[in-house]
Amino acid sequence: MSTGVSVSLRAIAKTFPDGTRALKPTDLTVAKGETLVFLGPSGCGKTTCLRIVAGLEKPDAGGRVLFDGADVTETEIEHRNIGMVFQSYALFPNMTVAENIGYGLKIRKVPPAERAKRVAEMLALTGIEPLRDRRIDQLSGGQRQRVALARAVAIRPRVLLLDEPLTALDAALRDRLRTELDQLLRSLGITAIYVTHDQAEAMSLGDRIVVMKQGEIVQVGTPREVYFEPNSRFVAEFIGAANVIEGMASEGSIRFPGGQLMLPEPPAEGRCTIMLRPEAIEIRAPAGEDWTGTVQGVSFLGDRQRVTIAGAAAEMIVAEAPNRTRLKTGDRVGLAVAPQALRILQD
Amino acid sequence: MKSRQLFSLACMVPAVIVITAFFLIPAVQLLFIASGGEAGLSRYLAVLTTPRYRDALLSTVALSMVVTATTLLIGGIAGIFLARNRFPGHGLLVAILTFPLAFPGVVVGFMVIMLGGRLGLVGQISEALGADRIVFAYSMTGLFVGYLYFSIPRVLLTVMGVAETLDNRLIEAARSLGAGPFAIQRDIVLPALVPAFVAAGSICFATAMGAFGTAFTLATRINVLPMVIYQEFTEAANLAMAAALSVVLGLVAWAILALARLRGGDNVAAAG
């Protein structure tokens, strides 16, 4: 199987004819075989980035797209040899499943025998052999998604581009296909660029995540980096649940209305904002604790409980507690946090 | 429950009255007249054996087929182009191309005379260039031009309507798989437009079969079926023959529409 190319974006920007800036000048390199996820709210420029890599949009003058170091900026999409999977699947309704998967090979004038063999391989790879002669309108959403993937991969693309491929599916199916897709991308070892607004999808699929906002990159990092070390309030709140709270820092600790916490090295001074993940807060008996609050509400989620705490900071704090801990509204609790779980945010 | 059914029935009453009075009764009468008298059902045979009737039927079908094919070609290409491209003057161009819808057949015929008649534009130009005076208005060519003129808007609008709903992602997907402009038209766009072509083509054919105004203006030396029917009951006062010819004309047009509906699905507005 093809392992694909490295993709470099050099100063790519996109201004639409009406003057809106969809993408500010952006530099980025995707390593050979890596799965890179563009993550951000709608209108952040992630799809524009993907379409520039695909060749469906031209970057503003000066921007360049390189595949393995070779400039493909002026190469039309037809000749870039990329695989694309769309949110709407975009399967050809006048062709069967097998014809859809084999279309790119037919265009490439691959001999029929070889084509049939490759189509059979793709059907097996995506687990849809029984569907080979079905019409597209006889398929479910999940099946269509598999056909779209098989069609894109069949041409052995240099890079696979996926534009919100799971968004149109219901939650349970989305989870299952996410796992399958992850295994498929790993086994193919293909370079893949994946666009999504779903942070759970980004975390489970990406080798690295590029968080975008209003046409620019906010942070690039592995799922662990962006989760544990967000560089801004935006990233902290967009990825996972986060308590972003303000306090006064001095002499290695930070003070809140409900007490204080130790700061990690190097400590900050004066007014500062910190981020705490709910699961990093341990709920204890209040006696002897430096930071306390009052339980405002408890929601039982089965595997754990989500506890809202008032009085600890100026804002409400959300913490997680084990599912058998007895807690009720009005309880006084102590909150313990390991210093390394606390992240100082710059903005 | 009872009153709801009564209400539904009551809603159908106006339509039933109109259909009975203006369609069913005349149609039944037409059938009776066509098969009445001594000749009886042999009149239908006469349609095929009498040269005047048979030639009119064949030339009408042939003309309608050529008009339909040409209209689909011209209107289809223009429709796909206009649906997929936006440029200054786009709206004006569509308005001009669909303008013939506003003209009755007689006016279309008159315009063909002004173009290809004895004092027409084409004749004057050809004469000015030193050639013979070209006159085509009163021939099959004249009818062809006139029918083409009023058929194009129908095909154009139908094809544009369907082409505009074509998902652009399909084309992007095909391009990503390596398909060039020709392959995209052949493999993606045209297959998606087949139902529109079938629908527009069958309406176009049926309209050409029955067109009277244009034929009345132009067909002075040639026979097309609607003209023959008109002559039978006005000049020859042969009501029975006119009725038989009408039934045949209706059957041919209806058969084409029914065939199209079978093949093209629910986009076809007639037959059933």
Side-chain angles (χ1 to χ4, degrees), chain B residues 184-199:
Chain B
I184 287 173
Q185 292 301 318
R186 183 194 59 202
D187 300 334
I188 314 299
V189 177
L190 286 179
L193 293 181
V194 164
F197 278 123
V198 172

Side-chain angles (χ1 to χ4, degrees), chain B residues 236-261:
Chain B
N238 189 350
L239 265 182
M241 198 59 222
L245 287 166
S246 302
V247 171
V248 171
L249 174 70
L251 279 178
V252 172
W254 176 85
I256 291 293
L257 288 175
L259 203 70
R261 194 185 175 92

